[in-house]
Amino acid sequence: MRPSAALLRTLRQAGYGWLQVEGVRQQLMRMAQAATAQPVLKQPDSTVFATAFKEFTTVFGDSPTARVTLTVTSGSLTGEEFVFQEPTTCIIGRAKDCQLQLPNDEQHNTVSRYHCALEINPPMVRIRDLGSLHGTYVNGQMIGRRAINPSQNQPQPSPESLPDYALADGDEIRLGKVGLRVTIVGSELDPNQTSFDETGLIDQTIFPANPAANTTDNHS
C-alpha cells in the first residue's frame, strides 16, 4: 500500500525525508526493530540521588564552603551576624574605618577606636588585641590590653608585637561590654586546634588585671 502524501510530508518535517516512497512501512519497522535491539541505559534513580545529597549535607552542612561567622551576643547590635568566607583582616572598634564598626556612643565607650584585629582565613581565625584600654577577652581570659601606668623602663608595646591566638568554633570574645560568638563551619577543622581555654594566660605583668574603671578610650 502506497503511503499518503500527508504521511510523507510528516516524515519529511520530522527529518525522515530520505525514506523511499515505496516500502515506507517496511523501512520504519526495520528502524524500530533495530532501536529495540540496542541496550537501554538505566535512568538514574532520583531517590538514590536525594538520599546521597542528604547524607552529604548532613556531614558537611548546606554549603561546603568554609566560613567564619561573628554573632553579636550583647550590646545594641545583639543578634547581628558578620560572615567571612574569604581571607581578610577584620579590625573591630568604634572608628569609621574599622571593618566591623561598633557604635560610637556611651553604651560602647569601653570599646577602643581600634580595639582588636582578626586574621581570618576560613576556617582558621586568629585574634590580637591592638593595645585597647579595657582589654580583649576570649572565654573570660584576657589576651591583651594597653599597659596602665608603665614604668620608664617598660614602654608601651606596639600592637604588632602583641601575641595573637587561634580561635575555635564556639569561642566567646568580649570587648568591654560587647560580646561576640565565633562560629566556624563548612570545612574540616584542624584536629590539633583547641579552644582558647587550653592556650594559657598572657603575662599579667604587662597587662594588669584591673583597668581603671569608667574611663572613656580615644585610643587610635
Side-chain angles (χ1 to χ4, degrees):
M1 180 173 64
R2 186 180 181 85
S4 66
L7 174 59
L8 291 175
R9 282 198 303 273
T10 300
L11 290 172
R12 283 197 297 271
Q13 291 173 357
Y16 292 97
W18 48 270
L19 289 171
Q20 300 298 318
V21 175
E22 300 297 335
V24 169
R25 184 184 301 276
Q26 289 79 2
Q27 294 178 67
L28 291 175
M29 289 182 63
R30 285 197 297 271
M31 291 173 59
Q33 291 172 354
T36 56
Q38 297 294 326
V40 178
L41 295 177
K42 184 179 179 180
Q43 295 297 320
D45 189 341
S46 59
T47 60
V48 173
F49 175 80
T51 301
F53 183 77
K54 182 178 180 180
E55 292 178 356
F56 177 86
T57 55
T58 298
V59 176
F60 296 100
D62 293 335
S63 171
T65 303
R67 63 184 181 272
V68 174
T69 303
L70 300 178
T71 305
V72 183
T73 57
S74 61
S76 61
L77 300 181
T78 297
E80 291 214 21
E81 293 186 342
F82 302 87
V83 181
F84 304 88
Q85 293 180 297
E86 302 292 337
T88 187
T89 298
C90 174
I91 296 178
I92 305 176
R94 294 182 291 109
K96 292 183 178 180
D97 55 346
C98 287
Q99 285 72 21
L100 199 167
Q101 183 191 6
L102 298 174
N104 189 13
D105 55 22
E106 184 177 354
Q107 186 177 358
H108 297 83
N109 62 6
T110 54
V111 177
S112 296
R113 295 181 62 241
Y114 301 97
H115 199 107
C116 67
L118 298 178
E119 294 292 338
I120 301 173
N121 187 11
M124 303 302 177
V125 55
R126 302 185 69 85
I127 186 170
R128 170 188 282 117
D129 183 83
L130 296 178
S132 65
L133 180 61
H134 292 280
T136 299
Y137 294 78
V138 177
N139 298 336
Q141 298 182 15
M142 185 172 62
I143 66 163
R145 60 166 295 184
R146 189 191 315 177
I148 302 298
N149 299 323
S151 65
Q152 293 181 351
N153 297 327
Q154 187 181 1
Q156 289 278 5
S158 65
E160 295 78 11
S161 67
L162 298 175
D164 62 348
Y165 299 89
L167 296 175
D169 180 48
D171 280 348
E172 298 282 345
I173 302 171
R174 181 160 292 279
L175 317 174
K177 300 176 183 178
V178 178
L180 298 165
R181 183 175 61 251
V182 180
T183 304
I184 305 173
V185 295
S187 184
E188 183 177 359
L189 302 180
D190 184 352
N192 296 320
Q193 183 175 353
T194 60
S195 171
F196 179 81
D197 288 332
E198 302 176 31
T199 62
L201 293 169
I202 62 168
D203 186 349
Q204 297 293 328
T205 61
I206 299 179
F207 306 105
N210 298 315
N214 300 325
T215 303
T216 301
D217 176 33
N218 295 317
H219 173 61
S220 59

